[in-house]
Amino acid sequence: MSSKDGPGASPGPSSEAARKRLRQQATRDTAPEMALRRELHRRGLRYRVHVRLLQEVRRTSDIVFRRAGVAVDVRGCWWHGCDDHRPAPRANRDWWFQKRERNRSRDDDTLRRLEAEGWRVLVVWEHEEISSAADRVELAVRGCVIKRQAAENSANFGRALRGSRRYRDV
Ligand SMILES: [Zn+2]
């Protein structure tokens, strides 16, 4: 990556170390998402990936369970600025800070919009253990499916429970 890649007149990553970190981060951003998807699949959950749920803005949700109305947003600690892992780079501090702040406010905005449209949004951070993240997602998805099915026909509640064990997003 060259320094021309920075937005406008702002400098991009200045050192070789920063460039290396940028490259690593780009792949690390997707690694937790892939791991989570594998684990959810292993548990019998089926989902869509990178779905655009909002009409008014061009943003996609990472993992989507349409029938349950659950959307999962997997966030890399560095780019999305989690509260625990926000290292301040020595060079170009402002450029990085502004980039992360932009990401954070866009994340917040997306979450608000999705929730306004009735989606249950789960945020999974890169630093979260995959199994506990998968637990949260599984609980939310199966819970939402059961609730919806039960509401449709309370007599079928037992069947809804059994059916949800092999959840498929259709
Ligand atoms: Zn973190």
Side-chain angles (χ1 to χ4, degrees), residues 100-155:
R100 276 204 300 268
E101 288 310 299
R102 272 200 306 274
N103 284 344
R104 272 162 70 94
S105 63
R106 196 184 51 212
D107 290 341
D108 289 347
D109 180 66
T110 305
L111 193 138
R112 272 195 303 272
R113 287 172 189 267
L114 286 169
E115 286 182 344
E117 296 200 8
W119 289 91
R120 174 146 184 220
V121 183
L122 297 181
V123 175
V124 173
W125 286 99
E126 180 186 2
H127 62 244
E128 196 171 346
E129 234 182 288
I130 292 298
S131 61
S132 76
D135 284 348
R136 286 203 293 131
V137 175
E138 185 175 16
L139 205 66
V141 169
R142 296 198 191 281
C144 286
V145 168
I146 288 167
K147 230 183 282 169
R148 288 195 177 191
Q149 287 175 342
E152 282 164 18
N153 186 351
S154 58

Side-chain angles (χ1 to χ4, degrees), residues 77 82-85 125-127:
C77 294
C82 90
D83 291 331
D84 299 334
H85 310 102
W125 286 99
E126 180 186 2
H127 62 244

